[in-house]
Amino acid sequence: MFLNGSGGPRRLFVVAGVGVGLAATVLGWHATRPVHPDCIVSYSRLTDGTGRSLPEADGRVPTREELVDHALRAARESGHCAPPRPRWRHWLD
């Protein structure tokens, strides 16, 4: 198929180049994804007698995910937890 005399080596070179380019693109994308370092945080929520969360001052009831995100953000802003870093920086450490 590739070496039948009709541009075979050139076609093989193009296919190999596209494969290498695709692999480099995927590796580059993977290397730039953020990695979140381990961080232990705690959060609390007020509940009524049945275990349902009480609303905040604005009348909204925050979800557990929102409470955890808020706790993580507060820990990072106060310097207790390291911010996320690109994966490639962990490869160099």
Side-chain angles (χ1 to χ4, degrees):
M1 176 180 163
F2 289 115
L3 301 175
N4 62 2
S6 62
R10 182 180 296 161
R11 186 178 296 163
L12 181 61
F13 181 72
V14 169
V15 170
V18 168
V20 168
L22 182 60
T25 301
V26 169
L27 180 64
W29 175 83
H30 182 69
T32 58
R33 297 294 92 200
V35 174
H36 301 274
D38 291 336
C39 182
I40 298 174
V41 296
S42 63
Y43 70 92
S44 62
R45 61 190 177 106
L46 297 175
T47 61
D48 62 10
T50 62
R52 289 183 298 186
S53 296
L54 296 175
E56 292 185 340
D58 61 0
R60 241 177 100 275
V61 177
T63 65
R64 287 187 174 145
E65 291 80 18
E66 290 172 334
L67 292 171
V68 170
D69 287 343
H70 177 71
L72 280 170
R73 189 171 36 257
R76 287 185 187 122
E77 289 172 359
S78 67
H80 294 331
C81 292
R85 298 184 337 169
R87 182 172 279 120
W88 65 267
R89 289 195 182 199
H90 290 276
W91 294 343
L92 298 179
D93 289 344

